[in-house]
Amino acid sequence: MAQIPFLDRRALMALMAKSGIGAGALASGWPLLAATPWPRNIEANPRFTDYPFALGVASGDPAPDGFVIWTRLCPRPAEQHYGMPRAPMVVSWEVAPDEAFATIIAKGEALASPELGHSVHVEVGGLSPDRVWFYRFRIAGQVSAAGRSRTLPLPGARVDRLRFAVAGCQHYEHGHYTAWAHIAQEPVDFVFHYGDYIYETNEKGAETLTIQGNPFPRARKHNNDEPYSLDDYRQRYAQYKTDPHLQAAHAAAPFWMSLDDHEIDNDWADRWDQDGTPPEVFLYRRAAAFQAYYEHMPLRRAAMPDGSHMQMYRGARYGDLMNAFVLDTRQYRSDQIGEAEKLPGGDKLAPMTPAAYDPARTMMGDAQEQWLFNGLAKSGTRWNLIAHQVMLMHLVGRAGGGAKGFNMDRWSGYMHSRRRLLAHIDKACPGNVVTVSGDAHRHYAGDVVQDEGAPQTDWRAKPGKVITTEFLGTSVSSGDDGMGELNTPQQLADNPVLKATIDRRGYVLCDMGRDLFHADLKVIDRVSSPGGTLSTYASFAVERGHPGMHKA
């Protein structure tokens, strides 16, 4: 039975002392280097005729002493079994402080198992805090691309500046990933991906797509039908991850990953889908989708799915500057109004009804809400970031014909949860909370105000107190080229809390200082063909201690 070889600890300690690495790397950097044996059916001498690292590399969930590094052996992404034998393999990994890997600070071996799609998740530890590191993988003489990551500052360390990007909603068929190419070049400390990494939809071969009633040419095509099984989802993720711009962004910075609805099925909520599938049946699909998601993301073992449950809400502290709270607003929420009650709603615009204010309805679930509230109450950082999936602003929209309504898939359909969250922010940490989100395929920047009084159909009637701000990032590609500022004047007129909106693809670039938070709404003129031009549509600033945004 083959076993993991033990390292020469004395030589390793000498190297660590010379390089400044902490001794904790022996325990946490090589979690598999104990006496645990490899499986008996391991492929001892793997051979590849195609490049095995075709899906690239990634890192995520950083900590002060390390981060997760990820890859997946997938030499033939378009094939059902992706060109791999049905046997586990050993993959080597290395971490260095320099891109040339002149000094290897940490290294080890990890198991790539067919049960997990031959994916590799290594939780590297024992590294120095607040520092850039480089990593790569090896197998059978093949070497992956090098990735760049960064450890967090120590919790009490002074941090003067933090930069990050907010992006997501990357429908493969709707456009090219030009936004990711630009994000890969931004000097950011991390990326928050707010979800919709894949889209489960299948347009059945149509050459054009209809988006908001407008036809667009299909930029690219999915290579399989709507996914239901684990193999289906694996193929969909593999197709998305072959995109070179997405690979470049993952290799450039650590990601905080979050999922929304399209990773499974449009507008799913807890155990309900949009089609009325029996909940006990839908949970099988959810379990398959969760496993495929985990297999393709730089997530820690704590996020490994347990059947149809996956632990996704978590936090991180960046020195004394920021506490970040990454939420999960899908897995624990009540079903949307308009679905369970058979009323107008779901993801469509609908009038506000008393059902939206029902205290029994929840967006986060009791356990997650308490975790967030406790974290905010105990936070001692200068800023707090709530990173989530769907719009927190309570905005009036207009359906066909101009009738006003609210989107019940957003926090507007869960007003009791929304009121509780804003009341807690106002009490626990007023003036130092910023929220970022996505899902809407438009940029939205505006103030988040507490709703007061009875259910309303016109938000202008009683706007309430400004509690925090929201920067909702547009999509990377979903929605094709978009319609620019069409409908923008009407939305601004209907919603005084809204400061800017535009229907273009792009991302939000955030720059946090000790007393000022700055955000640029980045837009790309086209994604229907490669090479779109990037520009800044609008810039806003938030002053610490003063809720509300103003133009920068």
Side-chain angles (χ1 to χ4, degrees):
M1 183 180 297
Q3 290 191 342
I4 304 173
F6 287 96
L7 298 178
D8 182 336
R9 185 179 179 92
R10 182 175 298 175
L12 179 60
M13 290 294 289
L15 175 62
M16 290 165 60
K18 180 180 179 180
S19 305
I21 188 171
L26 283 176
S28 54
W30 292 272
L32 295 178
L33 289 181
T36 304
W38 292 132
R40 285 191 291 269
N41 63 331
I42 200 163
E43 181 67 45
N45 296 295
R47 297 287 185 270
F48 296 97
T49 57
D50 300 282
Y51 185 56
F53 301 110
L55 304 188
V57 300
S59 72
D61 281 24
D65 70 335
F67 35 76
V68 179
I69 58 175
W70 169 93
T71 192
R72 180 186 169 209
L73 303 179
C74 187
R76 299 175 192 168
E79 294 184 4
Q80 183 179 11
H81 296 300
Y82 48 94
M84 290 293 293
R86 305 291 85 193
M89 297 181 179
V90 176
V91 179
S92 300
W93 57 270
E94 301 170 328
V95 175
D98 60 292
E99 196 168 7
F101 290 85
T103 303
I104 304 300
I105 293 298
K107 64 181 179 178
E109 294 178 319
L111 189 66
S113 170
E115 289 86 348
L116 289 174
H118 289 98
S119 61
V120 177
H121 299 76
V122 178
E123 297 187 20
V124 182
L127 304 179
S128 300
D130 198 18
R131 182 170 177 176
V132 171
W133 300 92
F134 298 89
Y135 62 93
R136 65 188 178 188
F137 299 89
R138 296 176 180 271
I139 188 171
Q142 303 273 12
V143 184
S144 74
R148 179 184 184 275
S149 196
R150 188 182 186 101
T151 47
L152 301 187
L154 291 172
R158 179 184 173 95
V159 177
D160 292 324
R161 187 181 188 188
L162 189 62
R163 291 169 290 185
F164 60 95
V166 178
C169 292
Q170 52 194 54
H171 199 308
Y172 188 84
E173 295 188 310
H174 284 197
H176 295 270
Y177 290 170
T178 310
W180 287 124
H182 288 286
I183 290 173
Q185 300 301 316
E186 298 280 10
V188 296
D189 297 292
F190 69 90
V191 175
F192 169 59
H193 195 297
Y194 49 71
D196 291 347
Y197 197 96
I198 63 165
Y199 278 69
E200 86 292 359
T201 54
N202 177 46
E203 302 292 340
K204 300 188 184 303
E207 293 301 322
T208 59
L209 303 172
T210 300
I211 304 170
Q212 298 182 7
N214 297 280
F216 289 94
R218 185 198 298 255
R220 304 184 284 191
K221 292 184 180 181
H222 285 147
N223 60 13
N224 64 343
D225 291 331
E226 182 169 346
Y228 283 88
S229 71
L230 176 57
D231 282 342
D232 293 341
Y233 281 106
R234 281 174 174 167
Q235 280 192 291
R236 185 61 57 92
Y237 277 103
Q239 183 177 21
Y240 277 57
K241 292 187 81 71
T242 55
D243 185 277
H245 298 322
L246 179 58
Q247 289 190 15
H250 271 299
F255 274 53
W256 287 101
M257 299 302 308
S258 182
L259 55 78
D260 195 23
D261 55 338
H262 288 288
E263 286 88 353
I264 303 175
D265 187 44
N266 180 54
D267 282 357
W268 71 277
D270 192 0
R271 60 188 183 274
W272 301 282
D273 72 358
Q274 64 177 348
D275 301 315
T277 303
E280 64 274 15
V281 175
F282 173 67
L283 289 178
Y284 280 104
R285 183 182 187 184
R286 196 174 98 171
F290 276 2
Q291 178 173 337
Y293 181 81
Y294 175 80
E295 289 176 354
H296 290 85
M297 301 301 147
L299 294 169
R300 293 185 179 270
R301 188 179 181 86
M304 182 182 289
D306 180 7
S308 61
H309 177 261
M310 189 175 186
Q311 179 62 44
M312 286 299 295
Y313 65 85
R314 60 213 190 278
R317 178 164 179 159
Y318 286 78
D320 70 344
L321 184 62
M322 184 188 78
N323 263 319
F325 302 90
V326 179
L327 303 188
D328 176 351
T329 59
R330 283 288 165 193
Q331 200 169 176
Y332 313 103
R333 65 157 71 186
S334 305
D335 200 5
Q336 294 95 337
I337 294 173
E339 300 293 342
E341 292 83 0
K342 306 302 180 186
L343 299 171
D347 67 346
K348 306 297 189 295
L349 294 178
M352 291 302 296
T353 69
Y357 292 80
D358 185 349
R361 292 179 54 74
T362 178
M363 176 62 94
M364 295 186 285
D366 292 342
Q368 182 178 194
E369 182 182 81
Q370 194 59 54
W371 164 82
L372 174 62
F373 286 8
N374 288 343
L376 289 172
K378 297 176 181 177
S379 178
T381 53
R382 296 187 68 80
W383 293 94
N384 295 282
L385 178 73
I386 299 179
H388 56 117
Q389 293 73 44
V390 297
M391 182 183 288
L392 183 59
M393 286 183 284
H394 188 49
L395 300 186
V396 170
R398 290 181 182 261
K404 290 183 179 180
F406 296 84
N407 190 307
M408 295 293 106
D409 187 54
R410 302 170 185 169
W411 285 83
S412 292
Y414 304 81
M415 292 300 288
H416 181 72
S417 287
R418 185 180 186 276
R419 282 177 169 177
R420 285 173 57 83
L421 173 59
L422 297 186
H424 186 78
I425 292 173
D426 192 32
K427 178 182 178 181
C429 39
N432 72 349
V433 174
V434 175
T435 75
V436 293
S437 62
D439 178 67
H441 303 174
R442 292 179 66 106
H443 275 309
Y444 288 94
D447 295 332
V448 180
V449 302
Q450 181 64 288
D451 134 86
E452 299 175 359
Q456 315 166 42
T457 57
D458 190 340
W459 187 238
R460 292 174 299 178
K462 196 172 184 181
K465 179 182 181 180
V466 176
I467 304 297
T468 181
T469 56
E470 181 173 26
F471 295 98
L472 188 152
T474 186
S475 62
V476 166
S477 59
S478 304
D480 203 274
D481 291 336
M483 296 176 286
E485 294 189 271
L486 183 67
N487 300 329
T488 293
Q490 186 67 65
Q491 291 196 39
L492 293 174
D494 286 342
N495 299 282
V497 298
L498 186 61
K499 307 304 180 185
T501 183
I502 186 173
D503 183 10
R504 282 282 185 259
R505 312 289 68 84
Y507 55 96
V508 182
L509 186 62
C510 303
D511 193 336
M512 177 182 286
R514 295 188 69 79
D515 295 303
L516 194 69
F517 181 94
H518 183 101
D520 292 332
L521 308 185
K522 297 290 188 178
V523 295
I524 296 167
D525 64 342
R526 73 178 192 279
V527 295
S528 55
S529 60
T533 300
L534 180 75
S535 62
T536 300
Y537 175 67
S539 297
F540 294 93
V542 181
E543 297 177 28
R544 183 177 179 273
H546 301 280
M549 66 176 65
H550 57 81
K551 285 195 173 182

